[in-house]
Amino acid sequence: MSERMKGILSPIIAIVLFLLFWEWLVWYNDWPNYKMASPSDLWPAFWKFRDLFAMYAWDTLWRTVVGLALAVVVGVAFGVVMGFSKTMRTALYPLLVGFNAVPKATVVPVVALIFVGQHDFNTVLIAFMISFFPIAVSVSIGLSTLEPEYRDILRALGASKLTVFWKIALPKTLPEFFGALKVASTLAFIGTNLMEIVEPHGRGLGHLFDSGKINADYPLMFAVLIALAVLGILLYYAVVILEKIFAGWAEREPTY
Amino acid sequence: MSVDVGIENVSHAYTTGQQSLPVLDKLNLTIPAGQFTAVVGPSGCGKSTLTRLASGLMAPDSGAVTLNEERVTSPRSTVGMAFQNPVLLEWRTIIENVVLPMEIVKHDLTRNQCLKRAAKLLELVGLADFKHKRPSELSGGMRQRASLCRALVHKPDLLILDEPFGALDAFTREDLWQIMRELRGRESFTGLLITHDLRESVFLADQVVVLSGRPATCQYVLDVTLPEDRRIDSLYTPEAVEMLATLREQIEIAQGRKQEVAA
C-alpha cells in the first residue's frame, strides 16, 4: 500500500473503530437515549434540526473567526511593543499573566451581565479575550530573541528600525506566531462556545447544545458535539494551510 | 572603489551597572585604500568591538574612525559585513539572500540587474547551481560563501570580516581563503579582517596587526611579503614560516605569557 493511501485510510479506520466501540458500549450496557446517545442516534437528531445546525454553525464560526482576528491584531501589537522595548515588557508582562490567569469561565457570566442581550458582541469579546495571550507572548519572545547579527547585517547598511522589522524580525517570528495561532484558534473556539451556552435566547451551536440539555435531548447534544468537533478541525487546518503558505520555509526535510 | 581607513587614538569601554570595562586604549591603525589588513590578538581583546566601530554601528568613547579622512558617526551603506555566523535568512533563497543589501542601499539598478550581479558573484564562489536553494539545504562552507557574496553585492568600498571562517573545518577554510583572494582580485575594496587564525591572517592580508591584551592597543604590525598570487603552498615557504613564528611570539607577549625582549 502506498504511503499516501496509508495516510488517508489509517485515520478513517481509527474513526470507524471508535464509532463501532461507542455503539457497542451503549448497546452492551443497554443505556437508554436519555442516559447516553449512540452514534446511530446522531444522524436523525442532526437531520431533524439541519436548518438550525447550518445557521448556528455559521454563527459560531464567524464569531470565533472575528474574535481570533481581533486577538491577532491586539496580540501582535502587544507582542511588538513588548518585543522591542524591555521597559514595556517588564511593565506589561505581570498584567498580561494576571489577565490570562483568570479562568475565562468566570468572566463569561460577568460579560453576559454587563452587555445583556448583545450576543454577537459578547461572544466575540470572550473569544478574543481567551485567545490573544499566546499570540502576544510568542510574538514578543520571537522579536526579543532575534540574534543581534541579524539586525546588524541591515543596520550596518543604514537601514531603519522599521526596515529591519519588515525584512527580518517579522518573517523570522512567523513560525512562532503560527504555533501560537494554532493554540489560539482552539482557545477562541472554546470561548465562543462558553458564551453561547451561558446566554439565554442566544444563537450558535453552544445555544443549540443548551436547548438539547434543557429538553433532555441527548442525541441532539451529542450531535452538537460532533458538529463542534468538525468545525474545530476545519478551523485548525485552515491555520495549518496559512502556516504552510506563509511559514512553509521553516519546515525542513526530515533527515534519517 | 576603495577607501583609506583610519582608526585614530580610539578608546572604548563597556559599562555594565557600576563597572566600566575598557576594551580599546588609544588604538591607532591605518589601512591604505585597496589594502587588506588582518587584526589578530588574544581572546576578548576587543577585536569585535573594532568591527562595530569601523562599520559605524557604534561610536567610540574617544578618538575617531575615518574613511577617506571623513569621520564615521553612523552606519554607511558603502560597508559590507560578514560574521562567523553566516546569518542567512531562512525564508529567502540563496540569491534572494545575496541581493538583500540592494533592497536597502540606494542605487539605480533594476531588480533584474541586481539579480544578475548577485548571480555573477555566486558563480565566482562556485554556487551557481545553488542560487534557488534555501540556506538550510547548503553546507556550512557554502552558506559562508553566500554570506561573502551578500557582503560584496552592493560594491562596498570597505569589507569588514569578523572571523568569517572560524566555524568551518580546516580544508573548507582553506578553500574559502582562496575564494576570498579571487574575490579581492576582481572587486575593489579595502579589507578589515578579524581572526584568531595566524595562517589565515598571513594568507589573506597585506599587513597583520597584533593587538595587545585588554584594553587593546596596537602592539605590532607585520607587513606580509608573500607574492600577490598566493596559493596554500605559499604558507609553507621559509619566509611565511618566519612571519608566522613572529606573529606567534607577539601573541604570547599580548597574552602576557612572555616578556617582551628589548629589540
Side-chain angles (χ1 to χ4, degrees), chain B residues 21-38:
Chain B
L21 180 73
V23 280
L24 297 177
D25 182 30
K26 297 204 179 77
L27 180 69
N28 279 294
L29 186 72
T30 48
I31 315 175
Q35 296 275 293
F36 207 105
T37 294

Side-chain angles (χ1 to χ4, degrees), chain A:
Chain A
M1 198 187 299
S2 74
E3 283 300 315
R4 205 189 148 77
M5 286 297 282
K6 259 191 213 166
I8 297 169
L9 275 183
S10 51
I12 291 178
I13 291 172
I15 290 171
V16 169
L17 284 179
F18 169 74
L19 291 177
L20 283 177
F21 172 73
W22 181 1
E23 189 76 45
W24 171 83
L25 197 68
V26 175
W27 171 81
Y28 181 81
N29 289 304
D30 205 13
W31 282 325
N33 240 347
Y34 53 82
K35 194 166 183 188
M36 173 89 173
S38 65
S40 55
D41 298 328
L42 301 184
W43 183 254
F46 171 73
W47 193 247
K48 194 169 142 199
F49 296 106
R50 61 188 180 278
D51 295 337
L52 277 182
F53 264 99
M55 204 163 75
Y56 284 171
W58 169 243
D59 281 323
T60 301
L61 184 65
W62 81 253
R63 286 162 167 179
T64 307
V65 170
V66 171
L68 191 60
L70 271 178
V72 168
V73 172
V74 175
V76 168
F78 267 97
V80 167
V81 168
M82 295 198 305
F84 280 129
S85 158
K86 214 177 159 203
T87 321
M88 290 304 270
R89 189 156 64 245
T90 324
L92 291 175
Y93 215 78
L95 191 67
L96 280 188
V97 171
F99 189 80
N100 188 52
V102 176
K104 293 302 168 298
T106 60
V107 181
V108 167
V110 177
V111 169
L113 276 178
I114 297 177
F115 309 105
V116 177
Q118 306 289 317
H119 302 308
D120 289 340
F121 178 80
N122 287 349
T123 317
V124 168
L125 184 65
I126 288 293
F128 154 72
M129 282 167 77
I130 204 171
S131 63
F132 90 99
F133 183 75
I135 297 177
V137 170
S138 75
V139 170
S140 82
I141 289 177
L143 293 179
S144 62
T145 55
L146 184 72
E147 294 92 329
E149 283 129 323
Y150 279 90
R151 244 181 306 126
D152 286 352
I153 49 168
L154 289 196
R155 288 242 296 115
L157 296 169
S160 66
K161 270 198 159 178
L162 193 69
T163 311
V164 176
F165 175 73
W166 278 116
K167 295 254 180 219
I168 299 199
L170 186 75
K172 205 166 161 38
T173 309
L174 279 180
E176 278 108 335
F177 168 77
F178 277 106
L181 193 60
K182 282 182 200 162
V183 177
S185 69
T186 316
L187 287 176
F189 197 52
I190 293 173
T192 309
N193 282 287
L194 272 177
M195 199 67 195
E196 288 174 352
I197 289 171
V198 166
E199 286 206 306
H201 318 298
R203 290 157 62 98
L205 287 179
H207 176 69
L208 195 59
F209 180 82
D210 198 47
S211 32
K213 197 181 83 189
I214 289 166
N215 300 312
D217 189 347
Y218 268 42
L220 175 60
M221 289 170 78
F222 274 95
V224 171
L225 288 189
I226 302 288
L228 283 175
V230 171
L231 219 51
I233 291 170
L234 281 180
L235 211 56
Y236 184 84
Y237 279 101
V239 176
V240 169
I241 289 169
L242 285 177
E243 182 184 26
K244 275 232 155 71
I245 295 171
F246 291 107
W249 51 266
E251 226 171 86
R252 305 249 169 118
E253 290 291 314
T255 41
Y256 297 100

Side-chain angles (χ1 to χ4, degrees), chain B residues 141 145 148 165 168 172-180:
Chain B
R145 277 186 255 174
L148 285 178
F165 315 121
L168 304 174
T172 309
R173 202 179 305 170
E174 289 177 356
D175 279 346
L176 277 158
W177 292 351
Q178 275 162 315
I179 284 170
M180 195 62 238

Side-chain angles (χ1 to χ4, degrees), chain B residues 27-259:
Chain B
L27 180 69
N28 279 294
L29 186 72
T30 48
I31 315 175
Q35 296 275 293
F36 207 105
T37 294
V39 175
V40 297
S43 286
C45 77
K47 297 192 295 292
S48 291
T49 307
L50 190 58
T51 64
R52 296 181 64 82
L53 294 174
S55 63
L57 281 171
M58 243 167 39
D61 291 345
S62 68
V65 178
T66 60
L67 297 181
N68 276 349
E69 319 265 294
E70 208 178 300
R71 208 178 163 121
V72 176
T73 48
S74 59
R76 306 163 70 251
S77 59
T78 51
V79 169
M81 279 185 105
F83 310 92
Q84 178 169 346
N85 177 354
V87 283
L88 297 176
L89 312 181
E90 289 295 336
W91 55 95
R92 287 173 169 241
T93 61
I94 292 300
I95 192 158
E96 284 167 351
N97 264 288
V98 172
V99 93
L100 179 71
M102 304 300 275
E103 295 168 18
I104 311 295
V105 172
K106 280 201 185 78
H107 59 79
D108 33 47
L109 297 181
T110 63
R111 175 85 182 165
N112 254 336
Q113 286 170 312
C114 294
L115 287 170
K116 245 188 207 147
R117 157 110 182 120
K120 206 187 109 205
L121 281 169
L122 284 170
E123 201 184 319
L124 265 175
V125 302
L127 287 181
D129 296 338
F130 296 87
K131 356 182 231 258
H132 300 303
K133 299 262 186 219
R134 302 240 175 228
S136 57
E137 297 173 279
L138 268 61
S139 68
M142 288 162 129
R143 269 184 254 181
Q144 200 52 263
R145 277 186 255 174
S147 166
L148 285 178
C149 293
R150 184 182 57 197
L152 289 172
V153 73
H154 55 299
K155 298 191 190 252
D157 48 25
L158 171 63
L159 178 67
I160 301 173
L161 303 172
D162 190 354
E163 292 197 55
F165 315 121
L168 304 174
D169 68 84
F171 296 126
T172 309
R173 202 179 305 170
E174 289 177 356
D175 279 346
L176 277 158
W177 292 351
Q178 275 162 315
I179 284 170
M180 195 62 238
R181 293 279 321 175
E182 269 169 51
L183 286 172
R184 236 200 104 186
R186 287 172 195 252
E187 306 274 324
S188 114
F189 52 81
T190 309
L192 172 62
L193 166 74
I194 305 293
T195 181
H196 275 120
D197 187 329
L198 298 181
R199 291 168 70 235
E200 179 171 299
S201 69
V202 168
F203 186 77
L204 288 178
D206 304 305
Q207 60 171 349
V208 180
V209 173
V210 182
L211 295 187
S212 65
R214 201 171 52 221
T217 188
C218 188
Q219 177 183 304
Y220 186 84
V221 180
L222 177 105
D223 284 312
V224 180
T225 50
L226 294 181
E228 273 308 304
D229 59 331
R230 297 170 201 178
R231 286 171 303 131
I232 295 297
D233 309 1
S234 316
L235 285 172
Y236 299 94
T237 56
E239 54 175 336
V241 171
E242 203 188 317
M243 283 189 273
L244 286 169
T246 312
L247 287 175
R248 185 65 240 169
E249 195 184 4
Q250 288 299 326
I251 292 287
E252 300 216 341
I253 294 167
Q255 287 171 324
R257 295 190 188 150
K258 192 169 178 178
Q259 292 300 312

